[in-house]
């Protein structure tokens, strides 16, 4: 079945540092890939997405590129801020998801803490 | 404001005492679902609904029930809660399938003693 593996956390960085959170996936066919962010005490929000190979999703300075050859969707940001402290989830939606509840398959989540 | 609301936000209960967690969305979305979030496991889908009166099991449906009598509401029912259902629960909804974007509620933290 479909699965998503994220780098283990927690990750602690200083403000303005470069961020990479690794995400790899296993899926049948060509899934859509997502990064969701969960700020403290809140629900998940879509951060960015990519629906086909070589697509780059971007939002709020974050980027991720859909790499089919390495089955990866790593999240990057060039200069993190304290306000980026949150839990980040990589997720996929398989091509057959409409027949199985449009289910999102999530990774374990990576806690990011950015210190001033 | 477009949103998904859940109530209660926090609940502590005892084993076997029936409870309902409500979920409501104001975006006229057809698709709604429930997830539970546990440390090291990410989010796992419990149940989903493609439309009114249409519900189906997700990955971890045991011990849960749902109903979808109205488009906006999708309550999660625990008939006889057990300690292994202690978790953080999220309701989500989605409109146009082509958008692929799901909107999540703020979460309900449930503790079963």
């Amino acid at each position: 079945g479909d699965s998503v593996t994220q780098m283990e956390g927690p990750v602690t960085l200083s403000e303005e540092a470069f961020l990479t959170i690794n995400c790899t996936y296993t899926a049948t066919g060509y899934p859509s890939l997502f990064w969701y962010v969960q700020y403290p005490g809140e629900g998940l929000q879509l951060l960015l997405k990519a629906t086909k190979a070589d697509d780059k999703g971007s939002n709020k300075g974050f980027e991720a590129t859909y790499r089919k050859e390495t089955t990866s969707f790593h999240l990057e940001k060039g200069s993190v801020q304290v306000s980026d402290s949150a839990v980040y989830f990589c997720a996929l939606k398989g091509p057959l998801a409409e027949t199985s509840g449009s289910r999102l398959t999530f990774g374990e989540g990576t806690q990011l803490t950015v210190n001033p | 404001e477009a949103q998904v609301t859940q109530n209660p936000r926090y609940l502590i209960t005892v084993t076997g005492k029936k409870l309902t967690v409500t979920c409501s969305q104001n975006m006229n979305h057809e698709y709604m679902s429930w997830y539970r979030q546990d440390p090291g496991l990410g989010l796992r889908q419990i149940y989903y609904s493609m439309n009114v009166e249409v519900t189906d099991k997700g990955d971890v449906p045991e011990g849960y029930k749902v109903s979808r009598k109205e488009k906006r509401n999708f309550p999660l029912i625990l008939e006889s809660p057990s300690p292994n259902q202690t978790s953080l629960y999220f309701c989500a909804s989605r409109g146009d399938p082509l958008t692929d974007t799901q909107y999540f509620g703020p979460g309900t933290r449930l503790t079963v003693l």
Side-chain angles (χ1 to χ4, degrees):
Chain A
D2 297 344
S3 68
V4 175
T5 302
Q6 286 181 236
M7 66 183 293
E8 292 187 15
V11 174
T12 301
L13 297 172
S14 298
E15 206 163 25
E16 299 183 3
F18 184 85
L19 168 71
T20 299
I21 300 178
N22 290 336
C23 171
T24 58
Y25 67 90
T26 302
T28 304
Y30 302 94
S32 297
L33 301 173
F34 307 84
W35 278 99
Y36 277 81
V37 59
Q38 183 181 28
Y39 297 104
E42 298 183 10
L44 280 72
Q45 304 172 26
L46 179 66
L47 180 60
L48 53 85
K49 68 179 182 181
T51 57
K52 61 182 187 297
D54 299 324
D55 268 2
K56 177 185 284 187
S58 61
N59 186 24
K60 300 182 180 179
F62 291 89
E63 293 183 339
T65 301
Y66 189 143
R67 301 285 188 202
K68 182 174 179 295
E69 63 276 13
T70 55
T71 60
S72 65
F73 194 54
H74 305 321
L75 182 68
E76 297 182 337
K77 187 174 185 181
S79 176
V80 294
Q81 305 300 311
V82 172
S83 57
D84 293 328
S85 298
V87 181
Y88 292 82
F89 291 92
C90 186
L92 71 80
K93 176 185 167 187
L96 299 180
E98 287 307 313
T99 62
S100 61
S102 196
R103 179 178 308 132
L104 289 174
T105 299
F106 285 89
E108 316 89 79
T110 301
Q111 172 74 56
L112 170 66
T113 301
V114 180
N115 295 318
Chain B
E1 180 190 353
Q3 60 183 353
V4 178
T5 57
Q6 295 178 225
N7 282 292
R9 294 290 310 279
Y10 303 90
L11 179 60
I12 300 174
T13 189
V14 295
T15 298
K17 185 176 182 182
K18 181 180 178 179
L19 66 91
T20 299
V21 183
T22 64
C23 172
S24 182
Q25 50 92 6
N26 63 1
M27 295 169 279
N28 201 38
H29 287 170
E30 292 184 348
Y31 172 87
M32 298 183 73
S33 67
W34 277 101
Y35 292 86
R36 60 177 289 173
Q37 181 183 5
D38 300 291
L41 297 176
L43 279 77
R44 294 175 292 168
Q45 191 182 58
I46 303 171
Y47 267 94
Y48 65 94
S49 171
M50 300 293 279
N51 212 327
V52 175
E53 301 293 0
V54 180
T55 64
D56 208 344
K57 298 177 181 179
D59 293 320
V60 288
E62 294 76 21
Y64 304 94
K65 287 175 56 177
V66 293
S67 70
R68 187 88 182 276
K69 293 182 169 50
E70 306 166 279
K71 200 171 190 178
R72 64 181 293 128
N73 297 323
F74 189 45
L76 180 69
I77 303 157
L78 285 73
E79 294 270 3
S80 183
S82 62
N84 65 12
Q85 293 178 297
T86 293
S87 186
L88 181 58
Y89 292 87
F90 289 101
C91 180
S93 74
R94 189 208 67 195
D96 182 354
L98 294 178
T99 68
D100 271 338
T101 301
Q102 295 199 25
Y103 296 84
F104 285 80
T108 295
R109 184 165 294 282
L110 172 65
T111 301
V112 183
L113 302 174

